[in-house]
Amino acid sequence: MIRRPPRSTQSRSSAASDVYKRQYVLLKERNAIRSDNTLKRKMFGKRGPQPKLSKIKVTMARLLTIVGERSRIREEYRKTLEDQYVEQKRREYESQLELDKQKKEQEPYIPKISMNLLRAKWKALRSGVDNLQYLKDAIHKDLEKQALLKDLNDRYDYQNKKVVSKDTEVSPEEEAKVIREFDSGILEQLKRVEPFRTKNCL
């Protein structure tokens, strides 16, 4: 199979091999002309007119433009594929999280076996009671702790809420978006938690 020589035109639709062949041929011609110029300077003291060298420079500049455009298009295409892949994996991960959440909500809550749970069962047996009331009490306490923890995390979300002093005036709409400073001490914190605990126990 006889391959055609590379054409002199610089088409953006040309094959990459043709573009690199043209670059190679132009580099050879440029080096040959520069060698001739060096010889002419030594022999005659001047190099003479250089119309062909100017054309070679223009052609090489055009080829470099085409190579740069192809590199930029290839890089943009690679980034597009990466973004699509990341978006696909993110959707799959969010879908899996949602399925796990729904599955967890449908499953009945079972308290973990702990010393407190075993102690409650032992006390019930000593008092002559053999039923599942100790499990119900443990479940009630665990759910109460989880609700209290969620309330505290929402109330004192320091990453997404702004901390303000106690005397700062805030509108009712913005009150849920800020965290008011309070006096250090366990008693002050318990006073703030007590209304929530009373509400859940009633």
Side-chain angles (χ1 to χ4, degrees):
M1 178 179 180
I2 301 177
R3 295 180 59 86
R4 60 172 177 78
R7 296 170 296 178
S8 59
T9 56
Q10 296 81 40
S11 175
R12 284 172 171 77
S13 61
S14 301
S17 59
D18 289 347
V19 175
Y20 293 123
K21 286 178 183 177
R22 291 171 202 157
Q23 283 184 307
Y24 176 73
V25 172
L26 290 172
L27 285 173
K28 286 182 62 177
E29 292 184 4
R30 186 191 67 179
N31 294 337
I33 292 174
R34 288 181 176 177
S35 299
D36 293 342
N37 290 338
T38 302
L39 182 62
K40 288 178 181 178
R41 285 196 189 95
K42 291 182 178 179
M43 296 179 62
F44 307 108
K46 60 180 181 179
R47 65 177 185 177
Q50 304 292 315
K52 192 172 183 180
L53 185 61
S54 301
K55 292 181 180 179
I56 290 175
K57 290 182 179 180
V58 173
T59 305
M60 290 185 67
R62 292 174 179 173
L63 286 176
L64 290 176
T65 301
I66 294 175
V67 172
E69 289 178 353
R70 290 183 176 181
S71 298
R72 185 171 62 255
I73 293 173
R74 184 169 59 251
E75 184 67 19
E76 291 176 355
Y77 181 66
R78 182 185 66 81
K79 290 182 178 179
T80 301
L81 292 179
E82 288 182 354
D83 294 341
Q84 292 176 354
Y85 177 78
V86 171
E87 181 67 19
Q88 178 184 357
K89 291 300 180 182
R90 185 185 65 81
R91 291 178 180 177
E92 293 178 357
Y93 178 71
E94 291 179 352
S95 176
Q96 186 64 36
L97 285 180
E98 186 66 24
L99 291 176
D100 293 343
K101 183 179 179 181
Q102 295 177 359
K103 184 178 179 181
K104 187 175 181 180
E105 291 177 353
Q106 294 175 358
E107 293 178 352
Y109 179 78
I110 301 176
K112 295 181 180 180
I113 299 177
S114 61
M115 290 301 300
N116 292 332
L117 186 64
L118 296 176
R119 192 177 293 113
K121 177 62 176 176
W122 179 74
K123 289 181 179 180
L125 291 175
R126 284 195 61 183
S127 61
V129 178
D130 187 10
N131 55 25
L132 300 179
Q133 184 61 37
Y134 74 101
L135 281 178
K136 296 179 181 179
D137 296 339
I139 292 174
H140 177 73
K141 289 181 180 179
D142 288 346
L143 294 179
E144 182 182 357
K145 289 180 181 179
Q146 292 178 9
L148 179 60
L149 181 61
K150 183 178 182 304
D151 180 74
L152 291 175
N153 290 333
D154 294 340
R155 187 181 302 178
Y156 301 109
D157 187 7
Y158 286 95
Q159 293 183 350
N160 302 317
K161 291 185 178 182
K162 181 180 179 182
V163 180
V164 298
S165 61
K166 295 188 298 183
D167 302 331
T168 303
E169 294 184 0
V170 181
S171 62
E173 293 79 9
E174 297 292 330
E175 186 68 30
K177 300 180 182 179
V178 299
I179 301 175
R180 291 190 176 274
E181 295 179 347
F182 51 84
D183 298 333
S184 60
I186 189 64
L187 294 178
E188 183 67 19
Q189 298 180 27
L190 289 175
K191 289 180 182 179
R192 293 177 174 271
V193 176
E194 188 61 28
F196 179 80
R197 292 176 59 88
T198 305
K199 180 178 66 175
N200 283 276
C201 291
L202 293 178

